Amino acid sequence: MRLLIMGPPGAGKGTQASLIKENFNLAHISTGEMFREAMNEKTPLGIEAKSYMDKGELVPDSITVGLVKERISKEDCNNGFLLDGFPRTISQAKFLDEILKELDIAIDAVINIVVDKSAMVNRIVGRRICPKCGAGYHIDTIKPKKDGICDVCGTALIQRKDDNEETVLNRLSIYEEKTKPLLDYYQEQDLVIDIDGMGDIQDIFKNVANVLGAL
Ligand code: AMP
């Protein structure tokens, strides 16, 4: 199965992507995560991406698309993959079409997580992540057992640098302007499946699993 997961910042894409990955045995390709890893390792790519990410801007295609092409061509994607955070613009979607054509494969579905706009800023600003294993938490709704410590690996949780209110507003407006039009692009190909992203994480995942099971 080859999937895209879409939705505005704060929709819970990363959380659902992890559950899909585990339950459907797919390679999870998150461009945001790849950039964050490169940033932590201070590679030239990471240093360049950081200047965009800190402001909530999109990293230029000249950097992003090559990274995705390399990743999709890796062996662990042969069983299927879930693209999370890519494509984010029509030009990236067209690039993805080219890569898929070269590899003679196609996308089976686009999971679109739908959430109330009013919930998004609070979801993002309260978000905390584990810098070591990537597990996600929220200060009100997904609290770790021990305050500020990851349940999975015991590492101190951090707030992403781009999860502050100012940057979030920029990310939301970029989503509206550049990423949302992609839904029409994929709707024309009859690939979009809307999932209600409000409510309990496991209930949302049940809905996702049901639609994926029926593909
Ligand atoms: P995310 O983890 O998906 O929220 O992405 C975090 C940040 O990484 C975004 O705000 C962008 O700065 C950058 N980024 C992630 N994916 C892309 C992409 N497909 N194109 C451009 N920038 C991206």
Side-chain angles (χ1 to χ4, degrees):
M1 211 158 28
R2 298 178 186 98
L3 306 171
L4 307 188
I5 186 160
M6 288 186 59
K13 291 189 295 291
T15 307
Q16 292 301 322
S18 298
L19 291 167
I20 296 170
K21 172 195 160 167
E22 276 164 33
N23 286 274
F24 289 86
N25 193 24
L26 303 176
H28 176 200
I29 307 176
S30 158
T31 39
E33 203 49 52
M34 288 161 89
F35 287 138
R36 278 187 289 281
E37 272 170 26
M39 250 164 66
N40 290 340
E41 287 164 16
K42 297 198 170 57
T43 65
L45 182 140
I47 291 166
E48 188 164 1
K50 184 177 182 339
S51 60
Y52 298 94
M53 291 173 79
D54 283 352
K55 289 182 277 182
E57 305 285 342
L58 293 183
V59 177
D61 283 1
S62 54
I63 303 179
T64 310
V65 292
L67 198 69
V68 172
K69 183 168 186 187
E70 199 185 304
R71 182 66 189 87
I72 286 189
S73 310
K74 287 200 173 155
E75 216 182 306
D76 67 329
C77 293
N78 289 349
N79 273 341
F81 56 78
L82 170 65
L83 269 171
D84 165 9
F86 185 95
R88 255 177 160 92
T89 61
I90 297 279
S91 79
Q92 289 185 359
K94 292 195 169 148
F95 181 80
L96 177 63
D97 287 346
E98 276 173 35
I99 303 177
L100 297 175
K101 205 167 153 197
E102 261 177 47
L103 297 172
D104 200 19
I105 54 180
I107 293 296
D108 298 300
V110 176
I111 304 292
N112 178 39
I113 311 278
V114 183
V115 284
D116 290 347
K117 250 187 179 168
S118 58
M120 289 184 296
V121 174
N122 177 41
R123 276 191 182 199
I124 298 179
V125 174
R127 184 155 74 178
R128 298 292 179 270
I129 57 164
C130 173
K132 192 166 173 208
C133 74
Y137 300 86
H138 188 279
I139 52 170
D140 299 323
T141 52
I142 319 171
K143 294 183 182 177
K145 290 192 187 89
K146 197 170 163 207
D147 204 21
I149 301 293
C150 178
D151 291 346
V152 183
C153 69
T155 305
L157 302 178
I158 57 160
Q159 182 176 31
R160 264 169 58 176
K161 202 168 175 217
D162 59 346
D163 277 353
N164 61 74
E165 193 156 346
E166 192 191 335
T167 308
V168 166
L169 294 176
N170 195 25
R171 284 158 65 198
L172 287 171
S173 75
I174 290 177
Y175 171 79
E176 288 291 326
E177 184 197 338
K178 299 198 167 137
T179 308
K180 217 172 166 190
L182 271 183
L183 286 175
D184 293 335
Y185 184 81
Y186 288 117
Q187 219 120 38
E188 277 162 22
Q189 299 171 46
D190 222 6
L191 288 174
V192 179
I193 300 171
D194 284 337
I195 296 286
D196 181 357
M198 301 303 293
D200 178 74
I201 290 171
Q202 292 300 335
D203 290 342
I204 299 167
F205 179 64
K206 261 187 215 148
N207 291 336
V208 173
N210 280 341
V211 298
L212 294 183
L215 279 181

